[in-house]
Amino acid sequence: MEIRRMGPIGAEIVGVDLKTMDEATFGRIYQAWLDSNVICVRDQELEIDDFLTYSRRFGSVSPHPSKSTRHPDYPEITVLGINKFRPDGTLNKEIYRRGAEGFHTDGAYEEVPYKATQLYALAIPSTGGDTFFSSGYAAYAELPQHLKRRLEGRCGEFKYGGRRQANLLLDEEDRNAKPVRHPLIRAHPETGRTLLYFDCGKILGIEGLGDAESDTIIEEMKAYMVQPPCQYRHKWRKGDVVIWDNRCSYHKAAGDYPPEEDRIHWRVSIKDYAAS
Ligand SMILES: O=C(O)CCC(=O)C(=O)O
Ligand SMILES: [Fe+2]
């Protein structure tokens, strides 16, 4: 097995079969993931059960609240990119552009947010459809002192769909979940490194601040989410298994591939065993 760092974040792993690797090999993969925020294992041939078994090495697999996009036989699997066209032939943008509205972290609306998200690429378009990643550590490091001071010890309030109420992928009865609170500046539970935990598409406001200041600071934080060179652009190949750490990274789908082509992934949300 070879692990190739792609820069300050992102690593590509080749020469391993995730179905048969041993514990020591998984240990190296897990460490590369902690070191790189996001990793891609290339060239895998997996059935759903193989994908779930591998995913469970990282934590417990938790069904996504969007019920309409779950796999019919495996609720813990979300399928990205299917049923893109409505019966009348129009493109459903919620599905086609899922994850493309801005850099975000998955599951900030959960009491215990997802530790990781993992995707397995089943079909890849001829052009476009990349995924962009950036680092929550770098975002924190570059925040100006006045923002660090204002945010230290404060929580954000988060909800699926955020201030725009972008919740069309949820069933109607699931749209009124209570907002949850998370500290905006925190240490990563495994690496100990300090990071900015933030998602402008899910945050409602910053506790203890008035609406105007909260909105202003949210706009300011947004500007720090992508810090070149701490970014990685993933160009998908069929058979890729990509896992990102939602605790210390942000990501965004390009949302730009030819809609008539397939771009299909199995996707799981993973929580820490201790937390679930
Ligand atoms: O399809 C992608 O590239 C990523 C979509 C996304 O944001 C997610 O699956 O959480
Ligand atoms: Fe996402």
Side-chain angles (χ1 to χ4, degrees), residues 70 73 75 82-83 96 112 124 136 163 207 230 255:
R70 289 180 187 169
D73 303 322
I82 56 158
N83 303 328
Y96 171 68
V112 179
I124 294 307
R163 291 170 295 168
E207 271 185 359
C230 289

Side-chain angles (χ1 to χ4, degrees), residues 103 109 156-167 175 179 198-206 210-223 225:
F103 278 90
Y109 47 80
E157 269 204 309
F158 296 88
K159 182 174 162 60
Y160 191 103
R163 291 170 295 168
R164 292 192 305 126
Q165 301 192 36
N167 56 16
R175 292 179 187 168
F198 174 61
D199 184 333
C200 48
K202 300 190 188 90
I203 196 165
L204 299 173
I206 303 169
D211 289 351
E213 187 185 6
S214 173
D215 283 350
T216 305
I217 292 187
I218 287 171
E219 279 312 303
E220 278 190 84
M221 281 195 279
K222 200 168 150 183
M225 293 178 87

Side-chain angles (χ1 to χ4, degrees), residues 80 98-99 104 106 117 119 130-131 236 244 251 253 263 267:
L80 300 181
R98 186 172 187 166
H104 63 278
D106 295 329
T117 303
L119 267 53
D130 297 350
T131 309
W236 289 92
W244 59 83
H251 63 280
R263 179 186 189 272
R267 178 191 188 286

Side-chain angles (χ1 to χ4, degrees), residues 7-9 133-139 193 225-232:
I9 74 168
F133 295 93
S134 65
S135 161
Y137 302 129
R193 296 172 64 192
M225 293 178 87
V226 182
Q227 294 296 339
C230 289
Q231 56 185 339
Y232 169 63

Side-chain angles (χ1 to χ4, degrees), residues 16-29 57:
V16 64
D17 181 348
L18 297 180
K19 298 194 292 292
T20 55
M21 81 187 148
D22 58 20
E23 239 350 274
T25 306
F26 179 67
R28 289 177 61 208
I29 292 179
R57 297 182 89 142

Side-chain angles (χ1 to χ4, degrees), residues 18-19 21 26 44-64 71-79 118-120 241 243 266-271 273:
L18 297 180
K19 298 194 292 292
M21 81 187 148
F26 179 67
Q44 299 304 300
E45 287 184 23
L46 305 181
E47 301 296 332
I48 286 197
D49 283 327
D50 303 322
F51 181 55
L52 284 173
T53 300
Y54 174 62
S55 297
R56 290 191 176 115
R57 297 182 89 142
F58 288 87
S60 74
V61 170
S62 174
H64 192 275
H71 189 289
D73 303 322
Y74 292 85
E76 56 284 59
I77 301 259
T78 290
V79 189
Q118 179 150 262
L119 267 53
Y120 176 56
V241 178
I243 183 165
W266 289 331
R267 178 191 188 286
V268 286
S269 313
I270 299 173
K271 288 191 175 180
Y273 279 117

